Structure formats: C-alpha cells, structure tokens
C-alpha cells in the first residue's frame, strides 16, 4: 500500500483487539504515527506499538475509558505531547450487552450507550477541538479527518440487541449532523459500517461450523470479513483520495445490507 498518510498522526480508540487493532496497523502501514488506545488490555496494544516502532514507524499505547471525559482528555493530551497533535481520529470502541428487551437491565442499556455513543461523542468533540487548535497542515487538504465506527445495525434492526442497534443508529445521525456542522472548517466526518467481521465481539457467530453456516446465509459475498477489510477502508477515508467525501457511511459488509433473503424470494 502506498504511504498516503506520511507525516500524519492518528488516534484509534479500542485498538487492543479486533477492528481497532486492524485499523491502527493499516494506518501505520500507510505511514501514519499512531496512538493506540486500550481500555483494559495493555499487552496487545503495547505489542502492536513496539511492532510498529521496530518496523520504523511511530506508535504509543495509551489507556483510556472513552466513556470518561477526563480519560479522553488524557488520550488527546498524550497525542499532543508525543506527536504535536492529531490529523486522523477513528472512534472505534464499542461493546455489546445483549438481552431480550423486556429483561434489559438499565445498567446494560446505559453501558452500551455510554461506550458506543457517548464515547464516540467525547472522542469526536476532542478531535474537532484539536483539529481547530492545530490549524491547517501541508500533509492533507482537510483540517482533520474523523471516522466513526458504526455497524450494519445502524440500518438493520436487531432483535435482542436493542441497546446496541440504538447506539449505532445514534452514531449515524451524530455523524451526519456533525459533518454538516464542521464541513466549512474543512473537517471531514464519515462512518464505516462493518458487516460481520471476525473479532472477539461476535465470536459466537462464527466459532462453530453451525454458527458460521447460519452467518454466511446473511452475506451474499460468501465470506466473513477480516479486520484488514475495515483497515483498508479506514486508510482510504483518512487519506486525500477521499477528499470530497464527508457525511457518508461506508458499508463494508459483503452485501449484508442488500436484504439477501429476498434474492430468491421477492
Ligand atoms: P472488540 O471487542 O475486539 O473491540 C472493541 C474494543 O473496544 C476492545 O478493544 C475494547 O477493549 C474496547 N472498549 C470497550 N469498552 C471501552 C471503553 N470504555 N473505552 C475504550 N475502549 C473500550 O470488537 P470489534 O468487533 O473489533 O469492535 C470494534 C467496533 O466495531 C465496535 O464499535 C463494534 O460495534 C464495531 N462493529 C463490529 C462488527 C463485527 O462484526 N466485529 C460489526 C459491526 C460493527
């Protein structure tokens, strides 16, 4: 992949596993210096940082809970102290706490909204403030690039996961409204909506042969996605190759949002 992000700095939240890990690695491969945020697992985040540093790149691992305002402040402070600021922010952290709606404990409703929606709000707000503080840089046409990690469940309803789907639906309108608000500052705001990607969050959906077979019925393209699929989309959205793209959700889902059950039954 060409080094399209050379001399740019990226923060990726929830990057000690799964999609965030893959996105941090892809951004580093594309030449960005990377702040790898982790919540509770320092080892994989630190291992990724040293792998990037040994390969000649630049990375640090920083602990922060994205639902906590002062933690998010410290995350951006760390980027400023180590790299002078930030050009690309990927708000990726997310959790699932699934229950039938009638049994949904308020704590699990709140936790999912706190991490998935409020966490992305806090991260996005600091990103916009930081882009404005630092001002234009010759490394990109945009003042800053913000990517929110949504899900196909910002459009596909999901019984038994009402808190998660509500959080992702919220991300869609937060992204669009924010994109409209900050476009005049030349800040680009977009979302990526992954389909089924093989990560710890959905292990039960692909771990056994039966589960995998059921899952593949929902994916016209016939394979489960990998974190690298999302990493490549993030590099494009972060680069000037997508300079005229803002306020858009990029569905990276092997066709999951194409209503595959209608293919032979319309
Ligand atoms: P994952 O569980 O590997 O990643 C989630 C990450 O968020 C973890 O690293 C976790 O430590 C971090 N996190 C959790 N709470 C946090 C907090 N309070 N502060 C900071 N970080 C926190 O699963 P994933 O699949 O890589 O999920 C990443 C994102 O992609 C999530 O937003 C998820 O909703 C979204 N997504 C995943 C899929 C999929 O199929 N895997 C599909 C659609 C959307």
């Amino acid at each position: 992949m060409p080094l399209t992000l050379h001399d740019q700095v990226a923060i990726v939240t929830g990057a000690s596993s799964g999609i965030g890990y893959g996105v941090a690695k892809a951004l580093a491969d594309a030449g960005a210096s990377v702040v790898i945020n982790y919540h509770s697992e320092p080892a994989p985040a630190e291992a990724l940082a040293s792998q990037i540093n040994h390969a000649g790149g630049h990375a640090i691992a920083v602990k922060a809970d994205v639902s906590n305002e002062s933690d998010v402040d410290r995350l951006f402070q760390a980027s400023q102290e180590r790299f002078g600021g930030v050009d690309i922010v990927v708000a990726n952290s997310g959790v699932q706490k699934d229950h039938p709606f009638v049994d949904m404990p308020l704590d699990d409703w709140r936790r999912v909204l706190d991490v998935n929606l409020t966490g992305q709000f806090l991260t996005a707000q600091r990103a916009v403030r930081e882009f404005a503080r630092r001002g234009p840089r010759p490394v990109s046409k945009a003042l800053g690039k913000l990517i929110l990690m949504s899900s196909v469940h910002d459009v596909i309803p999901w019984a038994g996961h009402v808190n998660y789907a509500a959080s992702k639906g919220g991300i869609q309108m937060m992204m669009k409204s924010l994109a409209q608000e900050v476009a005049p500052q030349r800040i680009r705001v977009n979302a990526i909506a992954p389909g089924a990607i093989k990560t710890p969050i959905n292990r039960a959906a692909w771990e056994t042969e039966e589960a995998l077979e059921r899952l593949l019925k929902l994916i016209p393209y016939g394979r489960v996605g990998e974190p690298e699929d999302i990493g490549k989309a993030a590099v494009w959205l972060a680069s000037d190759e997508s300079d005229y793209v803002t306020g858009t959700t990029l569905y990276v889902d092997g066709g999951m949002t194409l209503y595959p059950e209608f293919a032979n039954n319309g």
Side-chain angles (χ1 to χ4, degrees):
M1 192 179 289
L3 295 185
T4 51
L5 304 178
H6 207 60
D7 286 332
Q8 298 194 50
V9 179
I11 295 176
V12 184
T13 69
S16 62
S17 64
I19 289 174
Y21 186 99
V23 166
K25 198 168 174 314
L27 294 173
D29 286 347
S33 301
V34 185
V35 178
I36 300 162
N37 159 248
Y38 66 90
H39 178 237
S40 42
E41 279 191 274
E46 276 157 12
L48 178 59
S50 63
Q51 188 188 320
I52 292 168
N53 289 321
H54 278 114
H58 306 280
I60 53 170
V62 179
K63 182 176 170 64
D65 175 344
V66 296
S67 67
N68 179 302
E69 199 166 12
S70 49
D71 273 22
V72 180
D73 282 336
R74 277 196 304 99
L75 178 63
F76 279 78
Q77 191 67 34
S79 183
Q80 198 181 318
E81 280 164 15
R82 175 64 180 83
F83 297 121
V86 67
D87 306 283
I88 300 155
V89 173
V90 184
N92 165 76
S93 295
V95 290
Q96 266 182 241
K97 292 190 180 296
D98 309 327
H99 302 278
F101 184 73
V102 290
D103 300 328
M104 176 85 65
L106 180 57
D107 277 355
D108 284 353
W109 169 268
R110 285 203 170 122
R111 190 64 196 148
V112 169
L113 271 291
D114 273 0
V115 176
N116 297 13
L117 188 57
T118 306
Q120 294 210 7
F121 157 71
L122 291 171
T123 306
Q125 190 183 53
R126 270 56 185 182
V128 170
R129 287 179 187 164
E130 181 54 26
F131 297 152
R133 180 199 69 79
R134 201 180 194 193
R137 305 210 310 128
V139 292
S140 177
K141 291 177 183 166
L143 188 71
K145 283 89 53 158
L146 178 55
I147 300 167
L148 306 184
M149 202 56 69
S150 185
S151 163
V152 289
H153 296 295
D154 68 359
V155 291
I156 302 177
W158 207 15
H161 311 256
V162 167
N163 48 358
Y164 184 82
S167 73
K168 297 301 185 180
I171 287 169
Q172 160 127 230
M173 282 313 285
M174 178 169 73
M175 180 278 290
K176 288 186 183 207
S177 303
L178 175 57
Q180 191 186 59
E181 188 165 329
V182 299
Q185 292 169 258
R186 289 201 306 109
I187 296 172
R188 293 195 296 113
V189 186
N190 292 289
I192 297 174
I197 310 296
K198 233 180 237 182
T199 74
I201 211 171
N202 60 358
R203 189 178 294 281
W206 48 263
E207 204 167 38
T208 66
E209 234 168 79
E210 298 85 336
L212 185 62
E213 199 180 314
R214 268 201 313 276
L215 181 60
L216 285 174
K217 288 201 178 109
L218 302 176
I219 310 171
Y221 202 60
R223 72 170 173 89
V224 179
E226 301 288 340
E228 295 75 41
D229 292 310
I230 308 301
K232 287 173 190 162
V235 168
W236 181 70
L237 279 176
S239 78
D240 280 359
E241 298 300 308
S242 62
D243 186 55
Y244 208 48
V245 179
T246 193
T248 289
T249 299
L250 179 57
Y251 290 85
V252 184
D253 68 351
M256 195 177 244
T257 40
L258 298 176
Y259 297 94
E261 59 274 35
F262 276 79
N264 302 304
N265 191 25

mmCIF file of all heavy atoms in Angstrom, residues 135-151:
data_model
loop_
_atom_site.group_PDB
_atom_site.id
_atom_site.type_symbol
_atom_site.label_atom_id
_atom_site.label_comp_id
_atom_site.label_asym_id
_atom_site.label_seq_id
_atom_site.Cartn_x
_atom_site.Cartn_y
_atom_site.Cartn_z
ATOM 1 N N GLY A 135 -4.693 23.816 13.523
ATOM 2 C CA GLY A 135 -4.780 24.554 12.260
ATOM 3 C C GLY A 135 -4.321 23.726 11.071
ATOM 4 O O GLY A 135 -3.922 22.573 11.221
ATOM 5 N N PRO A 136 -4.415 24.331 9.854
ATOM 6 C CA PRO A 136 -4.108 23.573 8.631
ATOM 7 C C PRO A 136 -2.656 23.127 8.593
ATOM 8 O O PRO A 136 -1.777 23.809 9.128
ATOM 9 C CB PRO A 136 -4.369 24.587 7.507
ATOM 10 C CG PRO A 136 -4.902 25.806 8.132
ATOM 11 C CD PRO A 136 -4.777 25.715 9.599
ATOM 12 N N ARG A 137 -2.443 21.963 7.979
ATOM 13 C CA ARG A 137 -1.086 21.432 7.833
ATOM 14 C C ARG A 137 -0.895 20.998 6.380
ATOM 15 O O ARG A 137 -1.840 20.547 5.746
ATOM 16 C CB ARG A 137 -0.870 20.243 8.767
ATOM 17 C CG ARG A 137 -1.175 20.549 10.220
ATOM 18 C CD ARG A 137 -0.344 19.737 11.179
ATOM 19 N NE ARG A 137 -0.343 18.323 10.916
ATOM 20 C CZ ARG A 137 0.770 17.600 10.788
ATOM 21 N NH1 ARG A 137 1.957 18.160 10.885
ATOM 22 N NH2 ARG A 137 0.707 16.292 10.557
ATOM 23 N N PRO A 138 0.334 21.101 5.864
ATOM 24 C CA PRO A 138 0.534 20.763 4.452
ATOM 25 C C PRO A 138 0.344 19.269 4.140
ATOM 26 O O PRO A 138 0.286 18.896 2.979
ATOM 27 C CB PRO A 138 1.991 21.184 4.200
ATOM 28 C CG PRO A 138 2.625 21.296 5.539
ATOM 29 C CD PRO A 138 1.553 21.586 6.522
ATOM 30 N N VAL A 139 0.190 18.431 5.182
ATOM 31 C CA VAL A 139 0.115 16.977 4.953
ATOM 32 C C VAL A 139 -1.227 16.506 4.404
ATOM 33 O O VAL A 139 -1.352 15.371 3.941
ATOM 34 C CB VAL A 139 0.425 16.196 6.262
ATOM 35 C CG1 VAL A 139 1.875 16.373 6.658
ATOM 36 C CG2 VAL A 139 -0.514 16.622 7.379
ATOM 37 N N SER A 140 -2.259 17.373 4.478
ATOM 38 C CA SER A 140 -3.584 16.953 3.999
ATOM 39 C C SER A 140 -4.385 18.165 3.546
ATOM 40 O O SER A 140 -4.206 19.266 4.071
ATOM 41 C CB SER A 140 -4.335 16.231 5.120
ATOM 42 O OG SER A 140 -5.643 15.885 4.712
ATOM 43 N N LYS A 141 -5.308 17.935 2.598
ATOM 44 C CA LYS A 141 -6.183 19.020 2.140
ATOM 45 C C LYS A 141 -7.200 19.396 3.218
ATOM 46 O O LYS A 141 -7.689 20.507 3.255
ATOM 47 C CB LYS A 141 -6.917 18.596 0.869
ATOM 48 C CG LYS A 141 -6.001 18.464 -0.331
ATOM 49 C CD LYS A 141 -6.768 17.966 -1.541
ATOM 50 C CE LYS A 141 -5.807 17.761 -2.705
ATOM 51 N NZ LYS A 141 -6.398 16.982 -3.784
ATOM 52 N N ALA A 142 -7.548 18.415 4.066
ATOM 53 C CA ALA A 142 -8.538 18.656 5.118
ATOM 54 C C ALA A 142 -7.847 19.123 6.400
ATOM 55 O O ALA A 142 -6.679 18.820 6.641
ATOM 56 C CB ALA A 142 -9.315 17.370 5.396
ATOM 57 N N LEU A 143 -8.615 19.850 7.227
ATOM 58 C CA LEU A 143 -8.079 20.250 8.532
ATOM 59 C C LEU A 143 -7.970 19.029 9.446
ATOM 60 O O LEU A 143 -7.080 18.954 10.301
ATOM 61 C CB LEU A 143 -9.022 21.286 9.160
ATOM 62 C CG LEU A 143 -8.549 21.966 10.443
ATOM 63 C CD1 LEU A 143 -7.401 22.934 10.150
ATOM 64 C CD2 LEU A 143 -9.702 22.725 11.110
ATOM 65 N N GLY A 144 -8.870 18.072 9.255
ATOM 66 C CA GLY A 144 -8.825 16.844 10.046
ATOM 67 C C GLY A 144 -9.824 15.847 9.501
ATOM 68 O O GLY A 144 -10.759 16.221 8.780
ATOM 69 N N LYS A 145 -9.616 14.594 9.822
ATOM 70 C CA LYS A 145 -10.487 13.523 9.356
ATOM 71 C C LYS A 145 -10.953 12.704 10.552
ATOM 72 O O LYS A 145 -10.137 12.234 11.347
ATOM 73 C CB LYS A 145 -9.742 12.592 8.378
ATOM 74 C CG LYS A 145 -9.591 13.169 6.982
ATOM 75 C CD LYS A 145 -8.373 13.999 6.764
ATOM 76 C CE LYS A 145 -7.111 13.302 7.140
ATOM 77 N NZ LYS A 145 -5.905 13.817 6.508
ATOM 78 N N LEU A 146 -12.264 12.558 10.645
ATOM 79 C CA LEU A 146 -12.858 11.824 11.765
ATOM 80 C C LEU A 146 -13.662 10.658 11.192
ATOM 81 O O LEU A 146 -14.474 10.858 10.283
ATOM 82 C CB LEU A 146 -13.763 12.793 12.533
ATOM 83 C CG LEU A 146 -14.562 12.308 13.726
ATOM 84 C CD1 LEU A 146 -13.690 11.647 14.774
ATOM 85 C CD2 LEU A 146 -15.284 13.503 14.343
ATOM 86 N N ILE A 147 -13.404 9.459 11.717
ATOM 87 C CA ILE A 147 -14.120 8.261 11.250
ATOM 88 C C ILE A 147 -14.786 7.600 12.457
ATOM 89 O O ILE A 147 -14.109 7.268 13.435
ATOM 90 C CB ILE A 147 -13.143 7.270 10.581
ATOM 91 C CG1 ILE A 147 -12.453 7.931 9.371
ATOM 92 C CG2 ILE A 147 -13.875 5.993 10.163
ATOM 93 C CD1 ILE A 147 -11.257 7.150 8.846
ATOM 94 N N LEU A 148 -16.109 7.455 12.396
ATOM 95 C CA LEU A 148 -16.845 6.810 13.487
ATOM 96 C C LEU A 148 -17.154 5.368 13.087
ATOM 97 O O LEU A 148 -17.585 5.116 11.966
ATOM 98 C CB LEU A 148 -18.156 7.567 13.758
ATOM 99 C CG LEU A 148 -18.023 9.072 14.035
ATOM 100 C CD1 LEU A 148 -19.394 9.667 14.374
ATOM 101 C CD2 LEU A 148 -17.037 9.359 15.158
ATOM 102 N N MET A 149 -16.926 4.432 14.011
ATOM 103 C CA MET A 149 -17.195 3.024 13.701
ATOM 104 C C MET A 149 -18.659 2.737 14.029
ATOM 105 O O MET A 149 -19.048 2.673 15.197
ATOM 106 C CB MET A 149 -16.261 2.111 14.499
ATOM 107 C CG MET A 149 -16.116 0.739 13.872
ATOM 108 S SD MET A 149 -15.539 0.761 12.144
ATOM 109 C CE MET A 149 -13.842 1.334 12.343
ATOM 110 N N SER A 150 -19.451 2.591 12.986
ATOM 111 C CA SER A 150 -20.866 2.270 13.161
ATOM 112 C C SER A 150 -21.053 0.769 13.005
ATOM 113 O O SER A 150 -20.216 -0.022 13.454
ATOM 114 C CB SER A 150 -21.685 3.091 12.160
ATOM 115 O OG SER A 150 -23.045 2.885 12.383
ATOM 116 N N SER A 151 -22.086 0.358 12.301
ATOM 117 C CA SER A 151 -22.388 -1.060 12.111
ATOM 118 C C SER A 151 -23.512 -1.152 11.088
ATOM 119 O O SER A 151 -24.273 -0.189 10.915
ATOM 120 C CB SER A 151 -22.871 -1.668 13.437
ATOM 121 O OG SER A 151 -23.533 -2.898 13.206
#
